[in-house]
Amino acid sequence: MPERIHPDQITPTFCILPWIHLSTRPNGHMRLCCTANASSAGATNDKQYGGEVGILKTDSGKPANLGQTRLLDAWNGPYMRKVRQMMLNGEKPPSCLKCFKEESAGHRSKRIWETEYWSSRIDTKSLIEQTSPDGEVPPQIAYIDLRLGTLCNLKCIMCSPHDSSRWVGDWNKLYPMVENPQLKETIQWPQQGKVDGASYTWFADNPSFWTDLQTQLPHLQQLYFAGGESTIIQEHYTLLEKCIAEGHASKIELRYNSNGLEMPEKIFELWKHFRRVRFHFSIDSIGEMNHYIRFPSDWAKIEKQLRRLDESEAHIEVTVACAVQILNIYYIPDFIKWKLSQGYKKINPWPLGAGLINFHFVYHPAHLNVKVLPPEFKKQVTEKYEEFYRWLHENHPEPQRLEESEYGIKRLKGLVKFMNSEDWSNRLPEFKEYIQHMDKIRNLNFGETFPEMKGLVY
């Protein structure tokens, strides 16, 4: 059993991920983790830390892109070494400010839960002992986040052509319509994503990536797939088959963030070979509200897929992963009530999300972050959650357990505290213009779908 060390026993700023993990963007850029990019998001487009915080850089200062850069060269490149040094010195890397801000607002950050999760699987003390003074560590990567291009079947309101191929047509209509200069800058798509060696086919352009990845298969404990939509990307299946063929699958955990709409039978057959599957079903609200946010999702099909997953094999863990943003934070209590009413056996079973649902915040685009809500509406949200806590105490079979869990009422209170922690309402004009244009492009009606929020736009 690995020797477990809480991060605060090393330094208060420690996170295990820079020692065991690499993350990719759909364009091939490498990053510290999947949330590091959001650390520069704020009330304005001030481009703190250059606007590319979290992206690994080469010696020349250019983004390290897997279309051109070797995976293992980036692993001990200047960016990764510097982050490790800063953490061991008790400093806060700019890449990681998102987590520290969430923690200060009472929210359980990725830094905390990932470090706790992995410290029971990997000897943290040994990792630190193997770290050289300049931050270099042996390339034994346990956890890789792969974004294999932008092929997707949805075009979510908080997404863009940077992450979804279906967004391209809407972006071509939207960008010329936008007048607000801040919004124009936020939604830009320079050179259609082909900047600094980036490409949405990076995984096909550079065969050395697959060579480097193969050397890490014996060390891998988790493969994480996210957008585009991995369930419709062939290379995802090819990699699973390779892990099986080479005898590594039984020790690898698969993890997904997926819209769950396309799940062929072969995926369940492949999953049988892996140690565990953690399937985070991306759902943000109920019915028409989810259709608006995760456009153009089919609610009836989502319910069918949830039932299908609820009957899946025991080693498949299923959670609802809700992206909390300006459009749904008011309605999350209703979403949770709906989920509790369904009687699912294994959708967020206790202790996953305290038996409710799981959350993460939307930071990009910043005009959809919950901090953008005006003070008067934040007050309405806060009051609704206070009523919901009382409802949970009166209607949940184990309210005391919900009160004590880090993922229960404490987490809900953390959402509200985070929302109220900063005032980004100067971005409301961006939000209003964005929603008005998107309604025209997609033939939607924000006011009818979110009636309590109609006054924020019209």
Side-chain angles (χ1 to χ4, degrees):
M1 177 68 68
E3 181 173 348
R4 300 191 67 172
I5 301 178
H6 188 274
D8 288 353
Q9 291 177 270
I10 301 169
T11 70
T13 64
F14 178 78
C15 174
I16 200 170
L17 293 183
W19 277 261
I20 65 166
H21 171 64
L22 265 183
S23 176
T24 61
R25 291 282 298 129
N27 66 359
H29 280 1
M30 282 179 274
R31 55 184 174 173
L32 194 60
C33 77
C34 68
T35 65
N37 294 146
S39 291
S40 62
T44 64
N45 286 338
D46 58 9
K47 291 194 178 300
Q48 190 178 23
Y49 307 112
E52 286 190 321
V53 64
I55 299 293
L56 274 58
K57 305 290 176 59
T58 63
D59 290 321
S60 67
K62 294 283 188 180
N65 188 281
L66 282 169
Q68 301 174 329
T69 305
R70 298 294 294 259
L71 173 70
L72 299 183
D73 289 343
W75 176 247
N76 276 318
Y79 195 97
M80 292 293 285
R81 287 188 281 109
K82 179 66 174 176
V83 167
R84 295 179 192 124
Q85 288 176 309
M86 291 184 74
M87 286 183 173
L88 293 180
N89 289 333
E91 302 170 53
K92 296 179 180 179
S95 305
C96 308
L97 296 183
K98 171 184 178 290
C99 279
F100 293 112
K101 283 190 174 184
E102 288 186 1
E103 291 163 24
S104 66
H107 191 73
R108 195 168 174 79
S109 74
K110 182 178 178 70
R111 179 182 84 97
I112 295 298
W113 68 259
E114 289 276 26
T115 299
E116 288 186 357
Y117 180 84
W118 285 102
S119 66
S120 66
R121 292 159 173 80
I122 290 177
D123 189 335
T124 313
K125 184 178 180 181
S126 177
L127 288 179
I128 304 307
E129 290 174 347
Q130 292 179 60
T131 307
S132 69
D134 71 350
E136 185 172 322
V137 295
Q140 297 179 5
I141 307 174
Y143 169 24
I144 294 181
D145 168 355
L146 284 180
R147 314 283 168 120
L148 297 169
T150 61
L151 183 64
C152 194
N153 47 6
L154 295 182
K155 40 184 174 179
C156 302
I157 193 71
M158 58 283 190
C159 199
S160 72
H162 294 280
D163 294 273
S164 169
S165 56
R166 285 203 67 182
W167 242 100
V168 174
D170 284 1
W171 185 88
N172 286 332
K173 296 174 185 175
L174 173 65
Y175 193 74
M177 298 167 69
V178 171
E179 296 180 358
N180 184 296
Q182 278 212 139
L183 179 58
K184 196 90 169 178
E185 183 175 357
T186 297
I187 67 167
Q188 63 181 316
W189 187 34
Q191 299 178 43
Q192 287 69 54
K194 296 179 180 179
V195 180
D196 293 323
S199 166
Y200 299 125
T201 58
W202 60 267
F203 48 89
D205 299 339
N206 186 5
S208 68
F209 164 72
W210 299 104
T211 302
D212 288 348
L213 181 60
Q214 186 158 356
T215 69
Q216 295 303 301
L217 291 183
H219 308 297
L220 272 182
Q221 296 186 39
Q222 186 175 103
L223 274 169
Y224 176 34
F225 297 100
E229 174 50 49
S230 56
T231 62
I232 63 172
I233 294 175
Q234 179 54 46
E235 284 79 5
H236 149 255
Y237 292 101
T238 302
L239 180 54
L240 298 192
E241 290 164 353
K242 190 171 193 63
C243 290
I244 295 167
E246 297 194 3
H248 300 298
S250 62
K251 67 176 183 60
I252 294 175
E253 177 179 271
L254 301 178
R255 184 171 153 214
Y256 294 81
N257 265 82
S258 167
N259 62 48
L261 292 173
E262 302 297 333
M263 299 182 68
E265 278 304 317
K266 73 174 179 179
I267 200 170
F268 290 94
E269 290 300 315
L270 291 169
W271 284 352
K272 290 178 180 179
H273 298 270
F274 289 83
R275 183 168 65 87
R276 184 161 69 150
V277 178
R278 304 172 72 200
F279 192 85
H280 306 303
F281 203 141
S282 298
I283 310 172
D284 292 338
S285 199
I286 313 165
E288 285 302 310
M289 287 185 284
N290 192 69
H291 171 72
Y292 189 104
I293 296 170
R294 292 196 171 270
F295 187 78
S297 58
D298 180 332
W299 185 248
K301 189 168 185 179
I302 286 171
E303 289 190 292
K304 181 179 178 181
Q305 296 288 57
L306 281 167
R307 292 294 173 190
R308 187 181 180 199
L309 287 165
D310 201 39
E311 299 296 330
S312 62
E313 296 187 25
H315 77 301
I316 300 174
E317 171 190 294
V318 186
T319 66
V320 171
C322 176
V324 181
Q325 57 178 285
I326 196 170
L327 296 179
N328 65 359
I329 190 167
Y330 180 84
Y331 301 98
I332 282 174
D334 309 303
F335 188 15
I336 293 175
K337 287 181 182 180
W338 172 85
K339 189 268 177 184
L340 291 174
S341 73
Q342 299 303 299
Y344 293 124
K345 300 187 296 294
K346 62 178 293 182
I347 311 293
N348 282 90
W350 188 274
L352 304 177
L356 307 177
I357 59 178
N358 285 22
F359 307 107
H360 57 280
F361 287 112
V362 168
Y363 283 81
H364 293 297
H367 53 264
L368 293 183
N369 187 275
V370 294
K371 296 178 182 180
V372 174
L373 286 166
E376 60 273 17
F377 196 81
K378 286 181 178 179
K379 185 172 183 289
Q380 292 181 46
V381 174
T382 303
E383 290 171 351
K384 182 170 182 176
Y385 277 67
E386 292 294 338
E387 292 178 8
F388 184 51
Y389 308 146
R390 289 192 288 273
W391 183 91
L392 285 170
H393 276 285
E394 293 169 4
N395 294 277
H396 196 277
E398 298 182 276
Q400 188 59 36
R401 195 155 71 146
L402 270 187
E403 194 70 59
E404 294 170 355
S405 170
E406 293 291 336
Y407 293 94
I409 291 174
K410 289 180 185 178
R411 193 163 178 85
L412 292 169
K413 289 181 177 179
L415 298 183
V416 175
K417 186 177 179 182
F418 178 80
M419 174 190 71
N420 289 318
S421 64
E422 291 181 279
D423 179 11
W424 293 7
S425 59
N426 60 311
R427 283 192 179 268
L428 270 172
E430 296 170 65
F431 168 71
K432 291 178 181 179
E433 184 180 353
Y434 182 71
I435 293 298
Q436 289 170 0
H437 290 324
M438 294 310 294
D439 275 7
K440 291 176 184 176
I441 291 169
R442 296 180 173 181
N443 194 28
L444 298 171
N445 190 308
F446 174 83
E448 288 183 3
T449 306
F450 307 95
E452 293 82 358
M453 300 180 69
K454 182 176 180 180
L456 298 182
V457 174
Y458 301 104

